[in-house]
Amino acid sequence: IIRGASLAVKPGERVAVIGPNGAGKSTLFNLISGRFGSSSGEILLNGQRIDGLKPYQINRLGLARSFQVSNLFTRLSAFENIRCSVLWSMGYKYSFWHFLADLDDVNRRTEEVLAMIRLDLRRDVLAMSLTYAEQRALEIGVTIAGGASVILLDEPTAGMSKSETANFVLLIREVAVGKTLLTVEHDMGVVFGLADKIAVLVYGEVIAFDGPEAVRANARVQEA
């Protein structure tokens, strides 16, 4: 599916990956995040090769992702979902002698993330009982809570109304400050409102990678 796609993203850039259905956008994310193994080529994170590593190993090197379909612990509360993401990054690894309620630093960080994604008033609601937009916001929270410097978002606004989408774009802009962001997105309003640069993927190859206006005017992109 991916046929020698070449892409280099600078630290702090916000990049949207666009292309027709079947172009390989989600597959590219699966390769970068370690969900799929690559048959050739190199994938580097901050200069370090990560192809061949497992997803959790890549995550611990500072890369996190969300999925097209919400991927949450549905029977845990919003607070508990975020706390699961916070624990490892704050040094609490495989521990059987800590009471979660007593981990003040973890609980503070969890509250900070909930406020950031505007779910602090919904902290005790089970993830399954949140609205669709709230579930997507919670997934963003889980993605950023571990402190990753590189964030991959796979169609974060899919299925949202126009007003929900507008609010969500503002949220993404806020939580991505200082981070490197790659997002797969079909809504061109979101793409042009969010991205510093746009990568156009067609049949597994990057045919354009430039600023929004240059990509909009590109004849190959218009044809694709």
Side-chain angles (χ1 to χ4, degrees):
I1 296 174
I2 299 297
R3 303 187 298 176
S6 181
L7 185 66
V9 179
K10 296 176 183 176
E13 279 188 329
R14 293 197 301 256
V15 174
V17 181
I18 67 172
N21 289 331
K25 301 181 295 296
S26 291
T27 301
L28 180 65
F29 270 26
N30 285 331
L31 289 168
I32 294 170
S33 62
R35 196 177 190 203
F36 292 171
S38 56
S39 56
S40 63
E42 295 181 348
I43 303 170
L44 296 97
L45 176 65
N46 296 324
Q48 177 178 344
R49 283 191 67 171
I50 58 173
D51 48 287
L53 297 182
K54 296 183 183 300
Y56 75 87
Q57 294 172 318
I58 295 172
N59 178 261
R60 290 174 189 172
L61 291 174
L63 183 145
R65 70 164 293 184
S66 69
F67 293 84
Q68 283 185 18
V69 179
S70 291
N71 203 2
L72 300 165
F73 296 112
T74 56
R75 294 184 181 276
L76 296 182
S77 69
F79 181 91
E80 290 165 331
N81 268 274
I82 298 295
R83 187 166 59 184
C84 287
S85 183
V86 168
L87 282 164
W88 187 279
S89 67
M90 299 197 71
Y92 297 98
K93 301 181 181 180
Y94 300 110
S95 171
F96 297 95
W97 54 88
H98 286 104
F99 288 102
L100 289 174
D102 294 337
L103 303 181
D104 292 339
D105 52 349
V106 168
N107 293 324
R108 273 196 306 273
R109 173 59 181 160
T110 302
E111 296 283 7
E112 288 172 3
V113 175
L114 282 169
M116 194 182 304
I117 60 173
R118 304 180 190 114
L119 287 180
D120 44 329
L121 299 180
R122 304 277 279 165
R123 68 188 300 283
D124 297 321
V125 178
L126 296 185
M128 69 168 73
S129 300
L130 295 172
T131 68
Y132 178 73
E134 288 172 338
Q135 288 179 353
R136 297 303 280 174
L138 181 58
E139 187 161 29
I140 296 286
V142 170
T143 304
I144 66 167
S149 61
V150 180
I151 305 294
L152 276 59
L153 304 180
D154 197 350
E155 297 193 32
T157 66
M160 291 189 183
S161 67
K162 284 191 175 182
S163 61
E164 288 173 336
T165 296
N167 289 330
F168 211 66
V169 169
L170 291 175
L171 173 62
I172 293 171
R173 292 180 74 94
E174 289 175 15
V175 301
V177 171
K179 300 181 185 294
T180 305
L181 176 68
L182 275 78
T183 181
V184 168
E185 185 56 69
H186 285 288
D187 186 323
M188 290 300 103
V190 173
V191 169
F192 287 101
L194 189 61
D196 303 316
K197 296 177 75 174
I198 299 172
V200 184
L201 193 68
V202 178
Y203 298 124
E205 296 179 295
V206 178
I207 66 167
F209 183 43
D210 211 331
E213 292 309 316
V215 168
R216 193 199 297 266
N218 186 303
R220 287 189 70 195
V221 172
Q222 292 172 7
E223 182 181 352

